[in-house]
Amino acid sequence: MRSSLCPQRGRARLALTGVLTGLLLTLSTPVAHPESTPPVPRRGSAYMGMGVLAHDGRAVGADTAPPTRANQTEGVDVASHQGSVSWSTLWGDATKWAYTKATEGMSYTNPYFTQQYDGPYKAGMIRGAYHFATPDASGGSAQADYFLSHGGGWTKDGKTLPGVLDIEWNPYGDTCYGKSKSGMVAWVRDFLNRYKSRTGRDAVIYTATSWWTQCTGNYSGFGKTNPLWIARFAATAGTLPAGWSVYSMWQYTSSGKTVGDHDRFNGNQDRLNVMATG
């Protein structure tokens, strides 16, 4: 004769089995975690165009160089992460000018600066230096002085281009470095005025239209005095910031041969020579 407790025992075993099964499924199912924030790079590691891919992206076909034009001259820009550069190879590929990162903020100097600045000069190129601005670190005039003290000067030797203010996305924090639009314009003006007063040349402004619009309110007041170096990884330079009807340089890719960052000077070799002599 079967016990009247058997059905209850069966139901208990089934219940226990269900609990164990649920527990095993819970333990074996991966737990979803929020995506981690990309690490903040170390101070000093920024370089020209660092934020272009992250913020503006790369247009379809941007890996292919725009058609060569007789009225444009090929160039490159370099920084410490590219190490010692083969300038003879670049010269053989018809690269005629180069800019080297000299400084950043108030404490960084490029350890490869001598090789990257004197190298193109010796190869036959026209060369220049740029400063990666960090407006949250100090005033504009102070950073211009720091730049000039560490390779950012200009001489009328026909082989040296005026210095460049690289003003773009902040890789270390707030996009606009914690400044209002008017505050950013004032900072840029202070840098440019100090550079002009000490060298007699108007510095070039390197930027991207989207950043300039967001962080300066698309200020148009520098277009009549300061040459524009526009950043856009695409087949065309696109819409320029207010105040400029033409660009002087255009950074069009970060994936070129020998050195990734390639540029076009908006003029032939004779016009490039004029820019160097002032």
Side-chain angles (χ1 to χ4, degrees), residues 60-100:
V60 175
D63 291 332
T64 303
T68 301
R69 298 177 182 175
N71 65 338
Q72 291 192 333
T73 312
E74 191 75 10
V76 296
D77 58 272
V78 297
S80 63
H81 68 282
Q82 286 149 328
S84 295
V85 176
S86 178
W87 295 108
S88 59
T89 300
L90 286 164
W91 177 257
D93 287 338
T95 304
K96 302 301 183 183
W97 58 278
Y99 266 96
T100 299

Side-chain angles (χ1 to χ4, degrees), residues 140-141 165 182-195 219 221-222:
S141 58
L165 172 63
S182 60
M184 183 62 75
V185 170
W187 192 98
V188 171
R189 183 183 294 112
D190 285 348
F191 183 101
L192 299 176
N193 286 346
R194 180 60 63 90
Y195 191 88
Y219 180 74
F222 302 124

Side-chain angles (χ1 to χ4, degrees), residues 5-209:
L5 296 176
C6 287
Q8 286 84 353
R9 289 175 180 171
R11 285 194 291 272
R13 282 196 295 269
L14 287 173
L16 179 60
T17 301
V19 170
L20 291 173
T21 301
L23 179 61
L24 289 172
L25 286 172
T26 300
L27 292 174
S28 63
T29 301
V31 178
H33 295 285
E35 292 185 7
S36 59
T37 303
V40 176
R42 60 179 174 79
R43 286 273 175 173
S45 63
Y47 53 88
M48 184 177 281
M50 187 175 187
V52 174
L53 284 177
H55 295 272
D56 283 354
R58 188 195 308 274
V60 175
D63 291 332
T64 303
T68 301
R69 298 177 182 175
N71 65 338
Q72 291 192 333
T73 312
E74 191 75 10
V76 296
D77 58 272
V78 297
S80 63
H81 68 282
Q82 286 149 328
S84 295
V85 176
S86 178
W87 295 108
S88 59
T89 300
L90 286 164
W91 177 257
D93 287 338
T95 304
K96 302 301 183 183
W97 58 278
Y99 266 96
T100 299
K101 179 183 176 181
T103 51
E104 177 180 323
M106 290 290 293
S107 60
Y108 174 86
T109 57
N110 179 1
Y112 289 91
F113 183 74
T114 299
Q115 196 277 343
Q116 293 182 347
Y117 187 71
D118 293 346
Y121 185 96
K122 293 174 182 177
M125 300 180 196
I126 295 177
R127 50 78 191 274
Y130 77 85
H131 174 78
F132 192 96
T134 54
D136 57 343
S138 65
S141 58
Q143 289 196 29
D145 286 336
Y146 186 76
F147 178 45
L148 287 162
S149 296
H150 296 89
W154 174 79
T155 55
K156 195 172 183 177
D157 59 3
K159 298 284 285 184
T160 304
L161 293 160
V164 173
L165 172 63
D166 177 358
I167 187 78
E168 55 176 293
W169 295 277
N170 178 8
Y172 312 116
D174 178 74
T175 294
C176 300
Y177 301 86
K179 292 195 172 293
S180 64
K181 294 178 176 64
S182 60
M184 183 62 75
V185 170
W187 192 98
V188 171
R189 183 183 294 112
D190 285 348
F191 183 101
L192 299 176
N193 286 346
R194 180 60 63 90
Y195 191 88
K196 175 70 177 287
S197 70
R198 291 192 54 186
T199 65
R201 293 299 305 270
D202 288 302
V204 178
I205 296 175
Y206 168 97
T207 196
T209 301

